[in-house]
Amino acid sequence: MSLEILGITVLWTFLFGYIIVGSVDYGAGFFNAYSIITKKEHILSRIIQRYLSPVWEVTNVFFVFFFVGIVGFFPQTAYFFGTIFLIPGSIALILLALRGSYYAFETYGSRGHKGYALMYGATGLLIPASLSIVLTISEGGFVSIVDGNPVLDYWALFTSPLTWSIVILSIVAVLYISAVFLTWYASKTEDKEATELMRKYTLIWSVPLIITAGGIVYELSFHNQEHFNRIIDVWWLFGLSSLLWLATAGLIWLRKSYGMAVWLMIGQFALAFYGYGVTHYPYLLYPHLTIYEGFTNEAMAISLVVVFILGFALLIPSLYLLVKLFLFDKEYVKGNKK
Amino acid sequence: MLFDDPVFASRMLTLLTLSFHIIYATIGVGVPLMIMIAQWIGIRKNDNHYILMARRWARGFVVTVAVGVVTGTIIGLQLSLLWPNFMELAGNIIALPLFMEVFAFFFEAIFLGIYVYTWDRFDDQRKHFLLLIPVAIGATASAYFITVVNSFMNAPAGFDMVNGELVNANPIAAMFTAAMPTKVSHVIVTAYMTAAFMLAAIAAFKLIKGSDNMYHKKSLHLTMKIGLVFSIATALIGDFSGKYLAEYQPEKLAAFEWHFETEEASPLLLYGILDENHETKYAIRIPFALSILAYGDPMAEVIGLNEFPKEETPPLVVHYFFDTMVTIGVFMIGLSLLYWLGMRRGWKFVKAKWYLWLIVLGGPLSFLAIEAGWWATEVGRQPWILRGIMTVDQAATTSDYVGLMFVMFAGLYFILGVGTVIVLRRIFKNNPVEKDLAKYNQGGDPL
């Protein structure tokens, strides 16, 4: 495997990690706020808070890791995406900042302020929407080079159906991933009411998920023919992903092995996400930048890989400890332990 | 409009974000060490006051960490958004420490989460103490790696430029630049110092407000001693930094000192103002001091600003920043030294209200010194973003709307700043030490 491929695989994996843990976090915030509006707060809030508190910072690091890593492995992305991503990037940053800090203010300071919870829920949907715009941009057609500098055509971007399809998919995916996870988590706490409620949400969001995902492939056939053809070449990856989606929804429907449902859901997204990534190859920004043009020098690439391996030797046991202490500690999950 | 120029607007937005972030970053680097020391002393002396101190500090700490994390994320991404050309070039050489910084941050975030949420999992406080070690190491390592990146910007190394192309990149050499040792140690030590004086200010304030609890007295005594040690270390490393500047960035040192003519036995200028003819007025001149600062030799020749092309000299305003930083540093050494001596010798005045008020003042002053020091070093690097290689004009984004983003981020930082103050006040107002102690002694869970 060439260093370019290794680099993008590592980064893609981290982005995937962020999408899963971030979605759980964003969706949980939304369901929490929704339960307050619909006066079902007593059912959901407790389990959501229990899960979120020890991990919210860690979620944030996945995101930082991705954008620091991509600048490291592919310095030219800083130039292209940095220049054109100023506005959506800044908006996402402001929302992330409000969300992260107010979560901490609320949890460690004054508990139970409704305004915070509602804002927390709203930002949870807006952040994925503003970040997912970068996926649209990378499909090409919105960036032109003027006087040697990349310029983003906002009008074309915001009137493109592809943009809105991706935005809607990102929101629906957040809600679905989060609902599946929280169904399982609630079942671990042996809280029947919360489990039932989350199960209902999972089923509600499973149908729009598959429709929007299919819609994007359809949009791509007009927007980026080359990418669309590559997707058709590996149709079986997406087919397998859809089967896993069916299996997940089926298990939840039958109220059977929620833990397995979470893994199937992760598998479903992994297949679709890597399928998307592989078919986007070799472009980072179609058609201006490929992973080969944008790659860093060899010395840097090798030292980054070495640091990456060492860093992981440190992180994996730490993450395992975190998960073991909170997520998989029966007594903690049930609320018997602080 | 003022912000029509993307270069100027990018500079201002970076200034704003960093000035706000370093307040929280300094707390983030310094406080874990204080918590660790308090917890350690509490275990060693078997004194509940210190254990409680660690808990209360940690409780306030997580609120500031949250803002530190999000503003750190902001500056991390803003580097690419506002300085895309710089990041493209720098990404080839300096990405390694940036990457390592994320690992350090990851490590800290994981163990801080565990530490805060396992107060009552361990019967043995020593086990709980162990969790603080990775937190403190992660916090300091973050500061280390990110300052390595900044050192590189001041003294680029680890590559060759051939016809404007960057070749022979050596990421390891780029990390160990000439600026690195003094810069990194100065940053870390001042963070420890500032955190200690901040906590001392809180304890002093409580004593002034009439709380006669031993807890606050112990807290004040501990933090003033730690502050004394680190403020002396700061001054020593500051002296080394002067020698580094004289050798490698003479134009910055000369701008700090309004030192225009190259001369031997140079005097050091304290304070003063500069008129339009570059004549200094009202300044205090300390003979030979600049030569001593620069080379450790009173007769040494120090290069003056006039030796450099005008477009490569930094703005002269940095003199004020530099003086502010040094003055506060010296004041804090004096204040903590007197306190320490006074407590040992039984001098009454160190317990007097007016002296406690000075200690309260010392907290915000230390933060002001941090800000002034960063402004001095960063503005003192103008017009370069990579000294001698790339100017800020070449590095900034070509995108419009940076001015608008400035306004939005200014609003955000205002909200976050006010929010922090309100939340911290509420936490500690509702849980005075007396209440926590009572709960703690009954075996309950304080906080």
Side-chain angles (χ1 to χ4, degrees):
Chain A
M1 190 155 50
S2 71
L3 280 170
E4 287 90 345
I5 304 274
L6 180 66
I8 197 70
T9 308
V10 163
L11 292 172
W12 202 242
T13 303
F14 254 83
L15 192 57
F16 181 66
Y18 179 64
I19 284 181
I20 296 296
V21 294
S23 293
V24 172
D25 184 292
Y26 293 137
F30 175 80
F31 288 124
N32 190 30
Y34 185 71
S35 70
I36 288 174
I37 297 175
T38 53
K39 306 251 184 306
K40 287 178 183 155
E41 195 183 349
H42 55 284
I43 307 178
L44 282 188
S45 282
R46 201 182 56 87
I47 63 160
I48 288 174
Q49 296 280 348
R50 262 199 117 53
Y51 164 73
L52 283 181
S53 297
V55 300
W56 73 268
E57 265 185 287
V58 178
T59 308
N60 207 45
V61 191
F62 275 89
F63 178 55
V64 179
F65 196 105
F66 175 74
F67 71 68
V68 170
I70 197 160
V71 171
F73 278 103
F74 304 97
Q76 283 199 18
T77 54
Y79 171 66
F80 278 99
F81 283 105
T83 308
I84 58 194
F85 203 49
L86 178 71
I87 292 182
S90 295
I91 292 172
L93 278 178
I94 287 173
L95 293 173
L96 270 172
L98 285 174
R99 181 182 169 81
S101 44
Y102 275 92
Y103 178 69
F105 289 175
E106 154 91 355
T107 311
Y108 307 116
S110 55
R111 237 168 246 274
H113 192 291
K114 271 192 188 161
Y116 291 172
L118 293 183
M119 195 194 68
Y120 193 71
T123 54
L125 296 187
L126 293 173
I127 293 168
S130 56
L131 287 177
S132 66
I133 285 182
V134 79
L135 288 177
T136 322
I137 295 174
S138 75
E139 287 299 334
F142 306 110
V143 176
S144 50
I145 307 289
V146 178
D147 299 331
N149 290 311
V151 175
L152 180 62
D153 183 346
Y154 283 97
W155 177 250
L157 182 67
F158 286 112
T159 51
S160 160
L162 181 67
T163 310
W164 296 106
S165 310
I166 290 185
V167 164
I168 293 171
L169 175 68
S170 72
I171 293 174
V172 176
V174 158
L175 294 173
Y176 177 73
I177 292 172
S178 182
V180 173
F181 179 86
L182 288 172
T183 308
W184 166 75
Y185 191 76
S187 77
K188 294 247 322 176
T189 64
E190 293 173 9
D191 183 336
K192 288 222 168 61
E193 226 179 336
T195 315
E196 281 302 304
L197 191 59
M198 287 320 301
R199 174 180 169 271
K200 204 176 85 190
Y201 292 150
T202 307
L203 295 174
I204 288 175
W205 288 108
S206 61
V207 177
L209 175 79
I210 210 76
I211 294 173
T212 46
I216 284 172
V217 178
Y218 178 69
E219 292 289 339
L220 267 181
S221 70
F222 304 110
H223 189 87
N224 185 338
Q225 187 72 40
E226 199 178 327
H227 191 180
F228 176 74
N229 290 341
R230 283 173 145 276
I231 287 181
I232 297 303
D233 287 345
V234 289
W235 65 270
W236 51 273
L237 270 178
F238 298 93
L240 207 56
S241 172
S242 315
L243 285 180
L244 289 182
W245 166 79
L246 261 181
T248 312
L251 282 179
I252 302 261
W253 174 262
L254 297 170
R255 295 195 177 82
K256 274 190 185 149
S257 38
Y258 291 134
M260 178 57 93
V262 171
W263 286 112
L264 291 177
M265 178 272 289
I266 292 175
Q268 172 210 335
F269 276 89
L271 284 171
F273 190 75
Y274 282 94
Y276 176 86
V278 168
T279 52
H280 203 276
Y281 172 87
Y283 293 104
L284 289 168
L285 173 62
Y286 182 87
H288 303 290
L289 187 64
T290 68
I291 63 171
Y292 297 101
E293 291 159 353
F295 199 57
T296 187
N297 56 76
E298 203 182 331
M300 177 57 82
I302 291 170
S303 39
L304 286 179
V305 170
V306 170
V307 164
F308 180 79
I309 292 167
L310 292 177
F312 253 66
L314 195 70
L315 276 190
I316 296 284
S318 319
L319 274 173
Y320 176 74
L321 183 67
L322 182 77
V323 170
K324 197 169 129 46
L325 280 174
F326 297 106
L327 219 47
F328 294 114
D329 186 312
K330 267 214 161 75
E331 297 302 310
Y332 173 81
V333 169
K334 283 185 202 156
N336 299 338
K337 204 190 258 183
K338 244 198 133 173
Chain B
M1 208 183 118
L2 189 64
F3 285 146
D4 278 349
D5 174 19
V7 178
F8 181 75
S10 296
R11 282 183 61 193
M12 288 303 111
L13 180 49
T14 309
L15 171 77
L16 179 74
T17 302
L18 277 176
S19 298
F20 188 71
H21 175 63
I22 54 174
I23 298 172
Y24 294 90
T26 303
I27 297 174
V29 173
V31 171
L33 184 76
M34 306 303 138
I35 300 174
M36 204 171 114
I37 293 174
Q39 179 101 356
W40 176 245
I41 294 178
I43 293 168
R44 287 292 301 269
K45 291 191 174 172
N46 198 13
D47 184 336
N48 285 345
H49 280 139
Y50 289 100
I51 302 270
L52 188 66
M53 216 178 277
R55 284 191 172 199
R56 287 174 66 89
W57 289 348
R59 180 149 201 219
F61 180 63
V62 285
V63 173
T64 61
V65 162
V67 182
V69 167
V70 295
T71 52
T73 308
I74 289 174
I75 190 65
L77 199 53
Q78 267 184 359
L79 278 177
S80 295
L81 295 177
L82 299 177
W83 310 98
N85 297 298
F86 163 69
M87 284 305 277
E88 184 191 0
L89 178 68
N92 280 299
I93 327 156
I94 202 63
L96 188 63
L98 268 178
F99 203 58
M100 290 162 104
E101 201 262 353
V102 183
F103 274 111
F105 169 37
F106 221 143
F107 197 51
E108 182 194 351
I110 290 173
F111 281 93
L112 185 66
I114 298 178
Y115 177 77
V116 170
Y117 284 92
T118 53
W119 284 124
D120 302 300
R121 291 253 191 132
F122 304 104
D123 291 326
D124 188 346
Q125 278 295 321
R126 277 177 298 187
K127 280 188 196 158
H128 198 222
F129 170 78
L130 290 179
L131 292 169
L132 277 171
I133 297 173
V135 177
I137 291 178
T140 302
S142 293
Y144 173 84
F145 289 122
I146 209 65
T147 316
V148 163
V149 176
N150 184 268
S151 309
F152 170 82
M153 295 164 80
N154 278 280
F159 62 97
D160 296 313
M161 292 294 276
V162 178
N163 302 328
E165 291 282 313
L166 186 153
V167 293
N168 298 334
N170 181 345
I172 308 293
M175 284 181 65
F176 293 91
T177 56
M180 193 275 281
T182 44
K183 224 174 215 310
V184 166
S185 49
H186 197 68
V187 164
I188 292 174
V189 164
T190 49
Y192 293 158
M193 165 189 148
T194 304
F197 286 133
M198 174 188 79
L199 296 169
I202 295 170
F205 187 72
K206 286 285 175 193
L207 288 173
I208 291 169
K209 287 289 157 194
S211 171
D212 197 31
N213 204 300
M214 273 311 289
Y215 170 91
H216 294 303
K217 289 181 186 161
K218 285 176 184 169
S219 167
L220 181 66
H221 198 68
L222 175 67
T223 49
M224 286 300 274
K225 271 200 293 194
I226 299 173
L228 173 63
V229 171
F230 285 118
S231 55
I232 291 173
T234 298
L236 284 175
I237 298 166
D239 180 62
F240 292 142
S241 304
K243 292 177 173 46
Y244 154 77
L245 284 180
E247 189 73 32
Y248 294 94
Q249 275 179 292
E251 77 281 11
K252 193 193 252 186
L253 183 68
F256 281 170
E257 285 302 324
W258 289 343
H259 182 64
F260 296 101
E261 302 291 339
T262 301
E263 59 184 349
E264 294 174 359
S266 308
L268 187 92
L269 292 187
L270 269 184
Y271 316 118
I273 53 168
L274 200 65
D275 67 13
E276 56 274 19
N277 306 320
H278 282 186
E279 295 293 325
T280 43
K281 282 188 203 157
Y282 315 116
I284 303 167
R285 300 170 78 86
I286 307 175
F288 310 113
L290 184 58
S291 290
I292 296 174
L293 175 69
Y295 295 102
D297 167 6
M299 301 315 287
E301 183 182 81
V302 181
I303 301 170
L305 266 184
N306 293 348
E307 308 291 323
F308 298 91
K310 199 142 188 62
E311 63 278 6
E312 288 182 17
T313 54
L316 294 169
V317 63
V318 290
H319 175 77
Y320 301 113
F321 302 147
F322 183 73
D323 275 358
T324 305
M325 170 184 83
V326 173
T327 307
I328 294 173
V330 171
F331 172 76
M332 292 314 294
I333 293 179
L335 190 72
S336 50
L337 188 65
L338 265 183
Y339 174 86
W340 180 68
L341 280 175
M343 291 302 278
R344 281 180 72 99
R345 299 279 169 89
W347 297 337
K348 282 237 166 63
F349 77 89
V350 293
K351 290 181 182 171
K353 259 195 179 165
W354 66 268
Y355 202 81
L356 289 175
W357 272 119
L358 284 181
I359 295 175
V360 172
L361 188 66
L365 277 182
S366 301
F367 280 100
L368 179 62
I370 295 266
E371 297 279 2
W374 273 112
W375 294 334
T377 189
E378 293 305 289
V379 179
R381 178 156 50 93
Q382 294 299 316
W384 302 108
I385 193 164
L386 268 178
R387 182 181 176 271
I389 294 175
M390 184 185 256
T391 63
V392 292
D393 297 42
Q394 295 162 342
T397 180
T398 48
S399 179
D400 297 325
Y401 313 111
V402 184
L404 180 67
M405 295 302 128
F406 180 91
V407 176
M408 283 168 58
F409 279 102
L412 172 72
Y413 300 146
F414 178 76
I415 295 172
L416 294 187
V418 172
T420 316
V421 174
I422 292 176
V423 169
L424 284 178
R425 270 183 60 105
R426 196 174 295 158
I427 292 177
F428 290 104
K429 213 171 191 156
N430 296 342
N431 295 288
V433 150
E434 290 77 8
K435 206 166 118 189
D436 275 354
L437 263 179
K439 271 198 257 175
Y440 192 86
N441 291 337
Q442 287 159 13
D445 170 34
L447 308 181

